[in-house]
Amino acid sequence: MAITLDKTPQLLFFLAVVAHPGTDHARVHNLVLTQDEDSYDERLAELDLQARAIEGGEMHIVIAGDRSAAYTAARNGATGEELLDQWLGQQGA
C-alpha cells in the first residue's frame, strides 16, 4: 500500500458583508473565516450591524476552499447548494 501526504481539500465557512452583491458595483467590506463556534454568535451580530450600516449592505454565508474563492463568491452574492452540502458532509452532519 502506497503512503501519501495528499489530503482531501477541506471547505471553509466564511461570513461576508457585501454591498450590492452580484452587480458591477459589488464590494466586499468584510470577509471572516469562522472557526470558533464559541464566538460565532458574537461575530454574526457584529457583521449584521456592519451590513445594516452600509448602503446596499448584505451579510452572506460563503463556503469556499480558500479566501480568494470566498471573496469571489461573496462578490457574486451566492454560495451554491452543492458546496454547502459538501461542507455539511465534511462536518459529519
Side-chain angles (χ1 to χ4, degrees):
M1 176 189 290
I3 296 175
T4 179
L5 296 176
D6 293 337
K7 293 183 179 180
T8 303
Q10 295 293 303
L11 293 172
L12 304 170
F13 188 98
F14 295 86
L15 292 173
V17 174
V18 187
H20 311 288
T23 69
D24 291 340
H25 305 294
R27 181 168 178 221
V28 178
H29 288 268
N30 203 342
L31 182 65
V32 179
L33 176 62
T34 59
Q35 295 178 335
D36 186 8
E37 290 181 28
D38 294 336
S39 65
Y40 179 78
D41 289 336
E42 279 181 29
R43 188 160 291 169
L44 193 63
E46 286 175 26
L47 294 177
D48 182 52
L49 285 174
Q50 185 179 13
R52 291 173 190 234
I54 296 169
E55 182 180 334
E58 300 176 9
M59 186 171 49
H60 292 272
I61 292 172
V62 179
I63 306 296
D66 60 33
R67 190 168 190 78
S68 178
Y71 185 84
T72 299
R75 284 183 54 87
N76 292 330
T79 290
E81 294 256 346
E82 179 182 312
L83 285 178
L84 183 57
D85 290 343
Q86 288 177 12
W87 180 80
L88 288 171
Q90 84 182 21
Q91 302 306 308

